Amino acid sequence: MRIPKLSYILVSAVLLTVSCSKDSDYEQGNSQTDDPDTGNPETGKPETDKADRARAKQLYADFYDASRDTGSEVSWTGNEPNCQPGTVPQDTKDKIFLRLSYFRRAVGFTNDIAENSSKSDKAQKAALMMHANGTLDHSPPNDWKCFSEDGKEGAANSLLTSTRNAGAIDSYIRDQGNDNYPVGHRRWLLWPKLQEIGVGNTSSYNAIWVLGNAGTPPADTPEFIAWPPQGHLPKQLAYPRWSFSIAKADFTETKISMKAKNGSAISLEIEELTGIYGDNSLVWKPAINTNTLDEDTAFVVSLSNVGIGGETKNFEYEVVLFDVNE
């Protein structure tokens, strides 16, 4: 994968709103029947835990499962030998937006992201170029096969991955690989100011235009953006790199620690700070093998000396990983 840095380009845009709203209530702790003093007689866990787990599982079903490939999707209508960029069929595009909505709602956002058709057109030409040349480059040379100026502009402003369809969103959020230690793809897609994107997609490559037209964060933006997020999350989506983001935060003196809910400390490796993608973020890799978790497991994340507005603040939150298939 490749990550675009800040390079804002003004584009005449036509906004097409893609709504992925559901009737279910996914906001943490919003159930009026929750009583923290009432336990579940079968598990011994507070009803609030049970309700939060149920919400997380329902969100997964309604957005993540619903956006899976069925095998019948057409990724694009283009043709690489003839350098025809084509378009992304609406049902495939809808699933890409639905998958993005899953991750954004999981961290606490309730707003939908719009599609900018002009950006999608250029992102599509960028995806074609990556497909035709079998590699990723934000600054493709003019001698590339299927080169176009629109595609070059799209490549400069888009996330790029050699993964297609809704699975591309997972690729960006996972951010694996040595070069992706700042989780820049994740930070752009979970950026509170993200208002619109452009979508490009082929049978092998994907481009998501994320730069430009930064808006005002929604009024209900969480105090911080973390992945894995606070609360319950399917263990299948707790990727090796964890992150914590706050706009303009200073993490240079921040200390971070993790422990299992039972008190045992979790060793972790902190990644180098990089502030050029989305909001400032702290990234670390805890020594956790999610494949070995055979029951719901809670982890407590503690951060001290986070610089915010000239002052320091401490944060602590709990992540509960569970098997979504059980």
Side-chain angles (χ1 to χ4, degrees):
M1 291 184 295
R2 293 296 184 88
I3 321 168
K5 298 180 181 179
L6 283 171
S7 176
Y8 291 100
I9 298 176
L10 297 178
V11 178
S12 177
V14 178
L15 297 181
L16 302 176
T17 300
V18 178
S19 176
C20 299
S21 60
K22 296 283 183 176
D23 293 331
S24 302
D25 182 358
Y26 305 110
E27 295 182 12
Q28 295 184 4
N30 199 38
S31 171
Q32 297 302 313
T33 61
D34 289 349
D35 182 355
D37 297 323
T38 302
N40 181 342
E42 295 181 0
T43 65
K45 296 180 180 180
E47 288 296 328
T48 46
D49 288 350
K50 181 180 177 183
D52 187 67
R53 189 185 196 277
R55 278 190 292 271
K57 192 167 185 177
Q58 190 64 52
L59 178 68
Y60 182 91
D62 289 348
F63 287 81
Y64 193 93
D65 255 351
S67 58
R68 289 186 185 276
D69 284 354
T70 64
S72 62
E73 288 83 4
V74 176
S75 298
W76 67 321
T77 62
N79 181 288
E80 180 266 327
N82 296 325
C83 292
Q84 296 296 320
T87 60
V88 184
Q90 192 60 49
D91 58 344
T92 299
K93 189 180 292 185
D94 287 346
K95 287 190 174 184
I96 292 173
F97 273 91
L98 196 62
R99 184 64 57 87
L100 174 58
S101 288
Y102 169 76
F103 286 102
R104 287 183 63 86
R105 287 173 185 266
V107 301
F109 292 114
T110 60
N111 65 310
D112 291 319
I113 300 300
E115 181 187 7
N116 180 308
S117 59
S118 176
K119 292 179 179 179
S120 285
D121 178 68
K122 294 177 181 180
Q124 183 61 32
K125 292 175 182 177
L128 167 66
M129 292 166 63
M130 306 305 134
H131 184 115
N133 294 277
T135 190
L136 305 174
D137 196 330
H138 288 295
S139 301
N142 292 14
D143 61 356
W144 258 25
K145 184 178 180 181
C146 301
F147 177 86
S148 68
E149 289 296 335
D150 279 352
K152 183 176 182 178
E153 184 182 351
N157 289 276
S158 298
L159 309 179
L160 304 172
T161 184
S162 55
T163 307
R164 66 179 184 178
N165 300 0
I169 302 298
D170 296 70
S171 176
Y172 296 134
I173 299 294
R174 184 182 298 109
D175 256 342
Q176 67 183 10
N178 293 335
D179 292 339
N180 291 320
Y181 66 89
V183 297
H185 303 87
R186 179 190 301 174
R187 287 158 66 173
W188 282 127
L189 290 181
L190 300 182
W191 194 31
K193 292 184 177 181
L194 186 66
Q195 304 291 313
E196 62 182 33
I197 62 173
V199 177
N201 197 67
T202 73
S203 58
S204 301
Y205 287 83
N206 178 272
I208 301 290
W209 184 314
V210 293
L211 296 185
N213 196 34
T216 302
D220 60 353
T221 296
E223 185 177 13
F224 59 85
I225 304 299
W227 194 268
Q230 181 176 359
H232 283 73
L233 181 82
K235 69 175 187 178
Q236 292 84 351
L237 300 178
Y239 303 124
R241 288 188 172 110
W242 291 38
S243 59
F244 179 95
S245 303
I246 297 179
K248 300 181 180 180
D250 182 358
F251 294 110
T252 55
E253 301 297 328
T254 299
K255 304 296 182 184
I256 181 170
S257 63
M258 283 184 62
K259 64 180 180 180
K261 190 67 178 291
N262 61 17
S264 59
I266 305 295
S267 62
L268 51 86
E269 176 185 347
I270 300 177
E271 301 282 19
E272 180 183 348
L273 291 174
T274 304
I276 58 177
Y277 309 113
D279 286 339
N280 290 345
S281 300
L282 186 65
V283 183
W284 68 97
K285 293 190 293 186
I288 297 172
N289 183 354
T290 57
N291 293 325
T292 65
L293 302 180
D294 55 7
E295 61 182 12
D296 293 15
T297 306
F299 300 94
V300 178
V301 180
S302 301
L303 300 96
S304 61
N305 295 324
V306 178
I308 300 177
E311 300 180 352
T312 59
K313 189 170 182 179
N314 300 332
F315 295 86
E316 184 170 283
Y317 61 98
E318 182 177 293
V319 176
V320 184
L321 302 182
F322 70 98
D323 190 340
V324 75
N325 299 312
E326 294 181 354

